Amino acid sequence: MGGPFSPFLQGLRCTRCGREYAAGEVAYVCGCRPNVGSDLGTLDAVYDYRALREAVTPGALARSPASGLEAWEPLLPVAPGHLPPLPVGRTPLLHARRLGAALGMERLWVKDDSRNPSGSLKDRASAIAVALAQALGRETVATASTGNAAAALAALSAAAGLASVIFVPQAAPRAKIAQHLAYGSRVLAVEGSYDDAFDLCVAACDALGWYNRNTGYNPFMTEGKKTVALELAAQMAQAHGGEQPFLAPDAVLVPVGDGCIIGGVHKGFQDLLALGWIRRMPRIYGIQSTQSSALYRAWQTGLEIPEPVEATTRADSIGVNAPRDPVKALRAVRETGGAFLAVEDSAILQAILPLARRVGVFPEPAGAAAYAGLLQALESGTVRRDETVVLLVTGTGLKDVNAAMEVAGEPTAIPPDLEAVREALGRE
């Protein structure tokens, strides 16, 4: 194909009407999308799997020595050589033995994407956004975000030498805004919700010629996020002896806001299945807060497009009124035999401590949601204790230290003497 796109990228297909486009024929969404505020017209990247099978062996791909996302370049939409220099991905898959033992589970795993450069899984999508912006000759990239996507874009843009403009709701946590500013982004705090920031970002990109990284709008963000599934399957195979290059677990639990991450997880496993490199799909579970549960409600009632809610969740990274990638998110759950689960904010906050104290992974509230969802799924029998289960931790607790302090408590103040130490520790 040549140009900015991968030679294996056949084009784009609308998830709503099925219309197909050549790569570059349309920038972001299908023409069936009537307006900015609508959630119609999201596009899917389509690859030439036959050509990929002929060009790439699964063993070589799974064991590639390349750092970061470069290992997956044949399965990415951008032409080789454009990824930013800041390594993204290669995050650990941890066998959570102590946490699993407390639950009666021997095969519980945690995929810790808080280890990415800016502290969240969204670095994966931002790396693709920056790569495509460079390949297309754009000098500025913009996004709307509750914080993590923007921090990811700010970091990857800085590494690549591109300008970035960030639209955040005024309620975004200061720790995340500090990241945006430190990386040198121009930060615009919008007086309104994430949805208001999203629509304003779309309008600004259209008017000013910026490259738009918005989740659920730019179809290639799914392609960045799918790399977490590719890594997970390769790491799972290695943990089981490496006889196969890729191995799917029984179930993956994913925190969900807009729906792009869970759609990306699904797409990654879909690619592997289409290539014949895994034997089955895992069941995919989407975890939402009861205070931001538009997709959960749509799944329960059989809707294709969720009705908006008023999101008030403490887990800001999954706080969304109107999910922007609902079709891919609902498809991920329905097509794999999974489910959406809604958990209380109190359960999400309490889930921070077991992950931190029994796995050594410090998650932000949204990152802890997967564990809160697992507890509910085990109680209902939705997930069995004898299955191989992966929890996806999407962001570091350093993004929201106030939430951690709410559940972990305050330090004990003592005078500087040994007796005070003994007294504080409750020993003679």
Side-chain angles (χ1 to χ4, degrees):
M1 184 176 295
F5 299 104
S6 166
F8 299 111
L9 181 68
Q10 286 186 326
L12 297 162
R13 181 185 298 122
C14 179
T15 59
R16 297 296 298 161
C17 73
R19 181 177 174 181
E20 296 188 358
Y21 299 88
E25 182 180 352
V26 62
Y28 302 113
V29 293
C30 179
C32 72
R33 182 186 178 108
N35 55 62
V36 169
S38 168
D39 43 23
L40 299 179
T42 306
L43 298 174
D44 244 342
V46 180
Y47 293 86
D48 185 340
Y49 293 114
R50 180 176 179 179
L52 276 166
R53 279 193 297 269
E54 293 175 352
V56 182
T57 63
L61 196 67
R63 301 179 185 93
S64 170
S67 64
L69 299 192
E70 287 85 355
W72 310 111
E73 273 190 331
L75 289 172
L76 297 179
V78 65
H82 292 288
L83 287 168
L86 191 62
V88 172
R90 296 288 193 184
T91 60
L93 178 68
L94 305 170
H95 192 177
R97 290 182 176 88
R98 292 187 62 239
L99 186 63
L103 301 174
M105 300 179 72
E106 295 182 359
R107 296 184 289 167
L108 179 63
W109 298 78
V110 172
K111 178 65 170 166
D112 182 14
D113 247 43
S114 72
R115 306 281 189 96
N116 276 309
S118 80
S120 85
L121 184 148
K122 294 180 181 179
D123 286 340
R124 298 177 183 272
S126 289
I128 301 301
V130 169
L132 281 166
Q134 291 189 118
L136 293 166
R138 305 291 184 88
E139 296 181 352
T140 300
V141 190
T143 195
S145 170
T146 57
N148 281 344
L153 179 61
L156 273 298
S157 296
L162 294 184
S164 58
V165 180
I166 306 302
F167 295 81
V168 294
Q170 280 190 323
R174 288 184 61 78
K176 295 180 181 180
I177 292 176
Q179 279 189 293
H180 313 157
L181 295 169
Y183 288 127
S185 295
R186 181 65 186 273
V187 181
L188 303 175
V190 179
E191 297 174 355
S193 67
Y194 164 70
D195 302 86
D196 295 322
F198 188 106
D199 291 344
L200 184 58
C201 179
V202 171
C205 287
D206 288 346
L208 301 172
W210 300 336
Y211 190 69
N212 191 331
R213 180 245 180 265
N214 274 9
T215 288
Y217 189 75
N218 185 322
F220 299 119
M221 299 306 91
T222 299
E223 300 304 296
K225 292 178 181 180
K226 80 179 182 186
T227 61
V228 73
L230 305 178
E231 280 182 18
L232 191 165
Q235 291 167 326
M236 186 66 68
Q238 291 166 10
H240 286 79
E243 293 182 7
Q244 305 172 52
F246 296 97
L247 186 65
D250 294 310
V252 183
L253 280 74
V254 184
V256 177
D258 255 326
C260 190
I261 289 178
I262 194 171
V265 170
H266 186 216
K267 181 64 183 300
F269 286 115
Q270 277 186 315
D271 282 354
L272 293 174
L273 193 64
L275 287 162
W277 295 348
I278 56 172
R279 297 171 183 172
R280 59 176 172 79
M281 289 287 290
R283 303 191 313 276
I284 300 176
Y285 295 87
I287 314 303
Q288 292 207 289
S289 164
T290 54
Q291 294 174 238
S292 178
S293 58
L295 284 163
Y296 166 76
R297 296 181 187 183
W299 175 76
Q300 272 203 320
T301 57
L303 293 177
E304 291 297 322
I305 301 299
E307 295 180 356
V309 298
E310 185 175 348
T312 58
T313 177
R314 183 69 178 77
D316 65 281
S317 293
I318 54 173
V320 176
N321 294 345
R324 300 290 175 156
D325 220 350
V327 176
K328 293 179 185 178
L330 290 166
R331 190 172 61 187
V333 165
R334 288 170 175 160
E335 291 186 1
T336 65
F340 270 99
L341 303 171
V343 294
E344 299 289 341
D345 268 14
S346 57
I348 290 175
L349 292 177
Q350 287 298 327
I352 293 171
L353 299 185
L355 285 164
R357 294 175 179 179
R358 290 180 172 163
V359 187
V361 173
F362 178 31
E364 67 171 333
Y371 180 67
L374 174 64
L375 296 180
Q376 186 181 116
L378 290 172
E379 184 177 352
S380 66
T382 305
V383 171
R384 300 195 315 271
R385 296 178 193 273
D386 62 349
E387 293 187 296
T388 301
V389 178
V390 177
L391 306 179
L392 184 54
V393 172
T394 49
T396 175
L398 295 175
K399 302 273 191 176
D400 191 348
V401 293
N402 290 335
M405 297 295 283
E406 285 182 31
V407 290
E410 297 289 337
T412 303
I414 62 169
D417 65 72
L418 187 56
E419 286 304 314
V421 173
R422 290 194 176 101
E423 183 177 343
L425 297 179
R427 295 200 300 267
E428 293 293 330

